[in-house]
Amino acid sequence: MDELDDDLRRLFSDDRLDVHSTTVSTEAVLRGADRRRRQRAAVAGSFALVAVVGAGVGLSRLGEPLPDTASNGVLTTGVTTTTTSPPPVSTVISTVTVTVEPPPNQNGGTTSGNPGTKSTPPSKPTSVPPPESQPGQYAKLALGMSEADALATGTLVEPSTPADAENRCKAYARQSVPDNDAVVVSPDRGIVRMLLPSFAKTPKGVGAGSKIADVKIAYGNATQNGSNLVVPMNATPAWSYIFETDGTAVQKVFMRLNANDCSSV
């Protein structure tokens, strides 16, 4: 024991075992304390983040069902199920072509030709309007009037001249028409033709100088007879307008009895 005590005394009295403290400044101490505070704050934030993530994972797992193998603490054995798909179904599409006859046209037949082409119905013949009712009279003279009655009007200029080669019918001048052939009289039919004055117009405004087209417009029943246009009128006795033209315009206008017996008329 004495030797052990001596050894311990020598050991504790050895200067080499003394701990020498180094001088530490106040700034170094403060920097170290600040560094430790930042480290503790970082560690605390990391723990808080881990805690939040863990809580979210836990909450999400709460809604999940337990595995089938651990339900009620009883282990279940997996069974392999084989699913058989239904056999493929084949679809057959058939095409039927139907031919439709075209509708009948107005003539009772069927329309033909290219699609969308309309058949043109036959044009109807233009109907001639009926003759107009107008007495065959101008001023004091009228068609069918006897020679004596015509002379009694005082409008004829005497003497007369032969109106035909047979010297059967007579021709008179007229006071308003200085033409020796202005009025033609038959011994049996009376006045068979009268020449109207150059200034005279028909009730439809046609007279000397009127165009042929204007005559045809005014009188739809006008017919061509050589260079003349003939327009029948409805009256008793029956008569017609005779428009004598030069091929372009009217030159003279006559009123003529239809049933006349003078060869020159």
Side-chain angles (χ1 to χ4, degrees), residues 74-88:
V74 180
L75 295 178
T76 58
T77 303
V79 179
T80 302
T81 304
T82 302
T83 303
T84 304
S85 60

Side-chain angles (χ1 to χ4, degrees), residues 8-151:
L8 289 173
R9 290 189 185 97
R10 285 193 304 268
L11 179 62
F12 287 130
S13 61
D14 192 350
D15 295 336
R16 293 177 298 177
L17 297 178
D18 293 340
V19 178
H20 302 281
S21 60
T22 60
T23 304
V24 179
S25 64
T26 304
E27 294 180 358
V29 173
L30 294 177
R31 283 198 300 270
D34 183 60
R35 183 169 56 254
R36 285 191 294 273
R37 282 197 300 271
R38 286 198 299 269
Q39 290 176 354
R40 285 196 295 271
V43 171
S46 299
F47 278 113
L49 178 61
V50 171
V52 170
V53 173
V57 172
L59 291 175
S60 63
R61 295 292 294 176
L62 289 176
E64 295 183 359
L66 295 176
D68 293 339
T69 56
S71 176
N72 296 328
V74 180
L75 295 178
T76 58
T77 303
V79 179
T80 302
T81 304
T82 302
T83 303
T84 304
S85 60
V89 179
S90 61
T91 304
V92 179
I93 301 175
S94 61
T95 303
V96 179
T97 303
V98 180
T99 303
V100 180
E101 292 294 332
N105 56 22
Q106 296 179 357
N107 297 327
T110 57
T111 57
S112 60
N114 296 329
T117 303
K118 297 181 180 180
S119 60
T120 303
S123 58
K124 296 181 180 179
T126 304
S127 59
V128 178
E132 299 179 21
S133 297
Q134 182 179 336
Q137 181 178 351
Y138 182 81
K140 295 180 180 181
L141 299 178
L143 295 173
M145 182 182 288
S146 66
E147 184 179 9
D149 291 341
L151 290 171

Side-chain angles (χ1 to χ4, degrees), residues 131-199:
E132 299 179 21
S133 297
Q134 182 179 336
Q137 181 178 351
Y138 182 81
K140 295 180 180 181
L141 299 178
L143 295 173
M145 182 182 288
S146 66
E147 184 179 9
D149 291 341
L151 290 171
T153 62
T155 60
L156 297 181
V157 178
E158 296 184 275
S160 64
T161 57
D164 50 19
E166 295 85 5
N167 199 20
R168 179 174 175 274
C169 298
K170 298 178 181 180
Y172 289 90
R174 195 171 175 179
Q175 293 180 356
S176 59
V177 183
D179 189 322
N180 294 333
D181 203 24
V183 178
V184 177
V185 182
S186 166
D188 298 331
R189 305 291 176 87
I191 298 178
V192 294
R193 192 185 69 181
M194 294 186 295
L195 174 62
L196 301 185
S198 60
F199 58 82

